[in-house]
């Protein structure tokens, strides 16, 4: 795998080849392997390794990017030529800033407008190592051993199973002609399992930079139990129910609002937070931060320009505190008509690669623990009548300002009565506003690292929510 020293040598070669005012080079890639299984047998094992170099050049406010995965002299010469040719024919971008220096990238020049209240100030924390040798060296035999345990559970219960066990190591680095350099390496392992019965199913998924945190056998037993206990699902009418959402279900639905926690989204007037920063929008038990340094989080500690990601308070006791900013977005916001109502304005280290049209987004979401967390079992025990939801899928936005979403339950939907699970029910379609949902959370578990299929990984709790709106019953 490419090292930081080797990348530095490539950057020096590219810089000598370029006549641009400024040069930025992004390096990314790594090794990835996947073992896929279905019908209780492994049917695919694949592996690949790829290294990519992406060159951005600037000429008098014009910028463009070109990419290659070849590192020989002629390929580097060609990618520099492509980037420069594209940059020279662009219209000048009045919002384009000089590339960040090493000091600015490290957050030593924050550029905050005014003095922010303590509760909204950004914090820079040390990101723990996310590279684990035992994850990087996982072999096909080790993945097959994990799959064997999963299939053993399926066979023992007379179920059919399908899923994946993947592993890999990757790097991301950025160098520019103003002296900035950043490098990050990480490993990752993931297990996803679906257990199928005649008329029911169960599902579990988990990932971590450290494979020691994954237990395929436990995940398989949980998925199998859900498939068995929801067999012969009954049908109950649609309506508003108390629901208990497991962490994967919480993640997949709340993930739809975080594109809106962006200065660019405010400027474009496409954010549901427009005019609402500083107001109480959710229940007072909801506190959310973007925290790349959290021990259960993962990912690079810098953004698409190499600026250090800061820990940002997004929601505090239900009140919207602030949004995140790329460097150029922060400068635009300071001059805009929306700046007075946008909360604290400063570059927070959340920008995407330039050029782009989306600006920035928080990617390391962490829900704060509550003072009296409950387990899912405790939530069930305190529920007179409700629905337990394992996961949600096929989620789409219906109304953007109230963040109304529609989607369906899947792979383990239970009726809860008199504090006990009463078996499976047919799945539902829901129409629910995130504002309404997060204003009606009655209980939460301890937040955990969770992953789903509709959104990115987060640290989230299970939630017990009252008056969740189911609009239709499905046929399965």
């Amino acid at each position: 795998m490419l090292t930081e020293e080797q990348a530095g040598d490539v950057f020096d070669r590219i810089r000598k080849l370029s006549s641009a005012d400024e040069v930025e080079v992004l390096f990314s890639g790594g090794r990835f392997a996947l073992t896929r299984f279905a019908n209780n047998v492994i049917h695919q094992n694949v592996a690949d390794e790829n290294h990519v170099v992406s060159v951005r050049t600037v000429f008098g406010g014009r910028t463009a990017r070109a990419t290659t995965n070849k590192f020989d002299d002629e390929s580097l010469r060609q990618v520099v030529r492509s980037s420069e040719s594209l940059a020279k024919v662009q219209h000048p971008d009045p919002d384009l800033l000089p590339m960040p220096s090493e000091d600015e990238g490290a957050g030593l020049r924050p550029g905050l407008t005014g003095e922010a209240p303590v509760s909204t100030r950004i914090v820079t924390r040390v990101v723990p190592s996310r590279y684990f040798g035992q994850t990087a060296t996982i072999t096909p035999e080790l993945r097959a051993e994990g799959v064997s345990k999963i299939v053993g559970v399926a066979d023992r219960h007379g179920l059919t199973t399908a899923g994946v066990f993947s592993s890999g190591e990757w790097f991301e680095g950025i160098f520019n002609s103003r002296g900035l350099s950043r490098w990050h390496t990480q490993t990752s392992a993931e297990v996803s399992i679906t257990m199928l019965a005649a008329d029911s199913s169960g599902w579990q998924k988990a990932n971590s930079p450290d494979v020691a945190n994954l237990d395929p056998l436990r995940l398989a037993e949980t998925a199998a139990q859900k498939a068995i206990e929801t067999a012969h699902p009954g049908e109950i009418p649609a309506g508003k129910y108390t629901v208990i959402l497991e962490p994967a279900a919480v993640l997949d639905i709340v993930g739809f609002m975080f594109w809106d926690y962006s200065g660019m989204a405010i400027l474009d007037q496409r954010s549901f937070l427009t005019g609402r920063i500083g107001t109480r929008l959710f229940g007072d038990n909801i506190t959310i931060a973007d925290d790349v340094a959290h021990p259960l989080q993962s990912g690079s500690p810098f953004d698409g320009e190499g600026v250090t990601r800061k820990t940002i308070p997004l929601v505090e006791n239900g009140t919207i505190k602030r949004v995140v900013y790329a460097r150029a977005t922060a400068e635009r916001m300071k001059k805009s008509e929306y700046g007075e109502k946008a909360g604290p304005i400063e570059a927070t280290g959340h920008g995407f690669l330039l050029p782009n049209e989306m600006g920035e987004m928080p990617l390391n979401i962490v829900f704060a623990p509550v003072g009296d967390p409950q387990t899912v079992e405790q939530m069930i025990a305190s529920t007179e009548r409700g629905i337990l939801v394992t996961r949600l899928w096929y989620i789409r936005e219906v109304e953007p300002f109230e963040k109304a979403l529609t989607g369906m339950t899947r792979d383990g939907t239970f009726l809860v009565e008199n504090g006990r699970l009463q078996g499976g029910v047919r799945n539902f379609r829901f129409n629910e506003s995130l504002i309404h949902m997060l204003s009606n959370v009655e209980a939460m578990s301890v937040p955990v690292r969770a992953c789903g299929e509709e959104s990115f990984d987060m640290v989230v709790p299970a939630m017990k929510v009252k008056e969740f709106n189911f609009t239709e019953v499905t046929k399965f």
Side-chain angles (χ1 to χ4, degrees):
M1 194 165 73
L2 190 72
T3 67
E4 183 176 4
E5 182 179 4
Q6 291 169 332
D9 291 340
V10 174
F11 171 71
D12 289 340
R13 290 160 59 192
I14 288 173
R15 190 174 179 181
K16 291 175 182 177
L17 291 169
S18 177
S19 61
D21 300 338
E22 294 182 303
V23 182
E24 173 193 277
V25 180
L26 176 76
F27 296 89
S28 61
R31 302 187 183 102
F32 175 79
L34 176 146
T35 299
R36 191 183 301 276
F37 55 98
N39 296 317
N40 295 18
V41 297
I42 292 173
H43 67 93
Q44 184 182 47
N45 188 74
V46 296
D48 72 84
E49 181 172 353
N50 192 30
H51 298 170
V52 173
V53 57
S54 182
V55 179
R56 182 168 73 93
T57 54
V58 178
F59 292 90
R62 298 173 171 87
T63 191
R65 182 180 295 279
T67 301
T68 184
N69 63 354
K70 296 180 179 179
F71 287 53
D72 60 275
D73 288 342
E74 180 53 36
S75 294
L76 294 180
R77 185 175 293 107
Q78 184 174 340
V79 76
V80 170
R81 186 183 305 122
S82 296
S83 176
E84 292 186 345
S85 298
L86 288 168
K88 290 175 180 177
V89 297
Q90 302 301 309
H91 292 292
D93 181 353
D95 299 316
L96 185 67
L97 300 176
M99 292 179 182
S101 65
E102 177 66 20
D103 283 351
E104 187 177 1
L108 301 179
R109 295 168 54 193
L112 179 66
T113 299
E115 182 69 12
V118 172
S119 62
T120 60
R121 290 179 190 164
I122 60 176
V123 177
T124 302
R125 297 169 57 203
V126 176
V127 174
S129 174
R130 287 168 177 157
Y131 188 95
F132 294 85
Q134 62 182 338
T135 307
T137 56
I138 292 174
T139 62
E141 290 78 12
L142 287 172
R143 291 194 302 274
E145 182 180 330
V147 173
S148 177
K149 294 177 181 178
I150 296 167
V151 171
V153 172
D155 288 340
R156 188 166 67 252
H157 293 291
L159 302 172
T160 301
T161 189
V164 297
F165 188 164
S166 64
S167 59
E169 56 177 332
W170 54 271
F171 61 87
E172 182 178 347
I174 190 167
F175 298 76
N176 72 31
S177 54
R178 298 195 66 204
L180 179 143
S181 64
R182 294 283 183 273
W183 195 257
H184 175 71
T185 58
Q186 181 167 320
T187 51
S188 180
E190 180 171 286
V191 175
S192 178
I193 303 168
T194 300
M195 292 283 182
L196 300 170
D199 58 2
S200 60
S201 60
W203 172 91
Q204 289 289 277
K205 183 179 181 180
N207 67 28
S208 174
D210 186 357
V211 70
N213 293 329
L214 300 187
D215 186 345
L217 181 60
R218 181 182 60 81
L219 293 170
E221 291 285 7
T222 302
Q225 181 182 17
K226 288 178 178 290
I228 293 166
E229 293 182 355
T230 57
H232 315 302
E235 182 174 329
I236 63 175
K240 293 186 177 182
Y241 289 87
T242 293
V243 298
I244 300 164
L245 302 171
E246 294 192 358
V250 172
L251 173 150
D252 273 339
I253 190 169
V254 301
F256 276 75
M257 71 178 175
F258 292 111
W259 281 101
D260 293 47
Y261 280 80
S262 154
M264 183 74 78
I266 300 291
L267 287 169
D268 291 345
Q269 296 291 278
R270 55 183 167 82
S271 171
F272 81 106
L273 303 177
T274 301
R276 288 169 162 171
I277 296 175
T279 65
R280 185 175 177 274
L281 199 59
F282 308 135
D284 60 12
N285 56 353
I286 302 298
T287 295
I288 308 170
D290 183 88
D291 184 3
V292 71
H294 190 280
L296 296 181
Q297 267 292 350
S298 65
S300 170
F302 50 85
D303 72 0
E305 290 186 272
V307 178
T308 299
R309 297 186 187 276
K310 311 300 193 305
T311 298
I312 306 296
L314 302 174
V315 181
E316 187 175 283
N317 301 126
T319 297
I320 307 302
K321 304 304 291 187
R322 61 185 300 165
V323 297
V324 300
Y325 288 94
R327 296 166 63 243
T329 310
E331 294 304 312
R332 281 186 59 195
M333 184 63 80
K334 292 173 187 177
K335 304 170 186 175
S336 80
E337 61 186 295
Y338 309 112
E340 291 185 1
K341 297 182 179 180
I345 304 169
E346 59 186 310
T348 60
H350 291 81
F352 297 126
L353 299 180
L354 294 176
N356 73 78
E357 297 178 349
M358 299 305 295
E360 57 281 310
M361 179 184 178
L363 294 171
N364 297 101
I365 300 301
V366 176
F367 277 67
V370 293
D372 54 345
Q374 296 184 21
T375 64
V376 170
E377 290 73 21
Q378 288 173 319
M379 295 180 198
I380 292 170
S382 65
T383 301
E384 182 177 345
R385 181 175 172 82
I387 305 295
L388 172 66
V389 177
T390 296
R391 61 175 289 211
L392 302 170
W393 71 299
Y394 204 24
I395 302 172
R396 298 294 184 269
E397 189 171 85
V398 176
E399 199 285 318
F401 196 64
E402 294 302 313
K403 266 298 175 273
L405 306 174
T406 188
M408 300 171 67
T409 65
R410 181 174 181 174
D411 295 326
T413 306
F414 296 81
L415 174 64
V416 179
E417 281 189 328
N418 301 318
R420 299 184 65 181
L421 296 181
Q422 300 297 326
V425 294
R426 293 190 184 278
N427 287 298
F428 292 99
R429 173 169 292 281
F430 67 87
N431 276 68
E432 183 60 81
S433 158
L434 284 179
I435 297 174
H436 177 267
M437 173 185 144
L438 293 176
S439 297
N440 287 279
V441 178
E442 295 185 321
M444 285 184 278
S445 70
V446 173
V448 298
R449 177 175 175 82
C451 54
E453 303 292 348
E454 299 282 330
S455 191
F456 54 95
D457 303 341
M458 302 178 197
V459 179
V460 296
M463 290 182 178
K464 181 177 176 180
V465 182
K466 64 182 180 182
E467 297 186 343
F468 193 91
N469 187 34
F470 292 119
T471 56
E472 186 179 359
V473 181
T474 72
K475 300 300 181 183
F476 60 94

